[in-house]
Amino acid sequence: MVDLLDRWRAVARNAGARPDPDTTRAGEKLIARWKEPHRHYHTLAHLTTVLDLVDQHADLAARADVVRLAAWFHDAVYQPRAAGDANERDSAALAESVLTGLGVPATTVAEVRRLVLLTAGHAVTPGDRDGALLCDADLAVLAAPPARYERYAAAIRREYAHVPEPAFRAGRAAVLTGLLALPALFRLPPLTRQWEEPARDNVRRELATLTGEPGNAG
């Protein structure tokens, strides 16, 4: 946690936040959100993975620190019972409130808000390098080795333990179908080459298990 808090302070400072205890307290509150007990996939481990991927591919971004800030907030509000894109909208509103309160310039705050909202549907316009990097990092788990992907899918099911199995299967299948309908799951060329086909294979395989249609796995 100390390392994460240091990373938060560094990116907030680089974005123009005041270097005072308010910034540290904001980071502690964010970390506490990511540690909520109802989270099984959307945890500090996911946040760390996204931050690490942004760091590894920072050269692909226009403003890497803005992408890092958006990563901190992109699932900061996560309630599985929320409808539609409420979590993303609430996370974007939280980012706007916290960053404005810390003195981050309004233009940076607006861009962080925009990036957080992109993670609702992961639809990125051509040329949006920052949006592409955030969304690619957020979806990276889709390209994981099959065993890790299955652990991810199981963790998502635990987050939705309150949903009856038939309803979960239908809802999850709709999400996966929406992902497969995207022109590409990953947008940045180095990541597309590495991740696109393994990710589509994983998603098709999970979709087949949910729908009982073997043809979806091919």
Side-chain angles (χ1 to χ4, degrees), residues 118-125 135-136 138-139 142 174-187 192 196-197 199-200 203-204:
L118 280 181
T119 63
H122 298 93
V124 181
T125 58
C135 288
D136 283 7
D138 189 30
L139 293 180
L142 300 183
V175 170
L176 298 178
T177 300
L179 288 172
L180 289 174
L182 291 172
L185 292 171
F186 304 101
R187 296 89 179 161
T192 297
E196 186 72 21
E197 285 310 311
R200 287 189 175 271
V203 172
R204 291 187 189 109

Side-chain angles (χ1 to χ4, degrees), residues 11 35 46 50 61-62 90 97 107 111 140 157 172 174 177 194 217:
V11 72
K35 293 173 69 177
H46 173 59
V50 174
D90 289 347
S97 174
T107 54
E111 178 64 359
R157 182 64 183 105
R172 179 68 175 164
T177 300
Q194 180 181 357

Side-chain angles (χ1 to χ4, degrees), residues 14-80:
N14 291 344
R18 294 187 302 272
D20 61 24
D22 287 349
T23 298
T24 296
R25 283 194 291 271
E28 291 170 344
K29 289 179 179 179
L30 271 175
I31 289 170
R33 285 180 173 275
W34 286 90
K35 293 173 69 177
E36 291 165 335
H38 63 270
R39 296 172 182 252
H40 298 280
Y41 170 70
H42 296 87
T43 63
L44 284 177
H46 173 59
L47 170 62
T48 301
T49 295
V50 174
L51 290 171
D52 287 348
L53 286 167
V54 172
D55 285 350
Q56 291 165 23
H57 302 286
D59 60 311
L60 302 176
R63 297 181 64 188
D65 274 332
V66 177
V67 182
R68 292 184 181 99
L69 275 180
W72 271 96
F73 284 98
H74 82 284
D75 283 321
V77 178
Y78 184 73
Q79 295 296 333

Side-chain angles (χ1 to χ4, degrees), residues 66-188:
V66 177
V67 182
R68 292 184 181 99
L69 275 180
W72 271 96
F73 284 98
H74 82 284
D75 283 321
V77 178
Y78 184 73
Q79 295 296 333
R81 295 177 185 270
D85 63 353
N87 283 323
E88 289 82 7
R89 288 187 284 104
D90 289 347
S91 293
L94 179 68
E96 183 174 33
S97 174
V98 170
L99 296 176
T100 299
L102 294 176
V104 174
T107 54
T108 298
V109 174
E111 178 64 359
V112 170
R113 178 183 175 85
R114 183 188 74 83
L115 291 173
V116 171
L117 290 172
L118 280 181
T119 63
H122 298 93
V124 181
T125 58
D128 182 3
R129 289 189 292 155
D130 291 346
L133 180 54
L134 178 64
C135 288
D136 283 7
D138 189 30
L139 293 180
V141 69
L142 300 183
R148 183 182 165 207
Y149 182 92
E150 289 172 10
R151 291 194 295 272
Y152 147 73
I156 294 294
R157 182 64 183 105
R158 289 197 297 275
E159 290 183 340
Y160 287 87
H162 61 283
V163 179
E165 186 67 15
F168 175 80
R169 284 176 173 267
R172 179 68 175 164
V175 170
L176 298 178
T177 300
L179 288 172
L180 289 174
L182 291 172
L185 292 171
F186 304 101
R187 296 89 179 161
L188 296 172

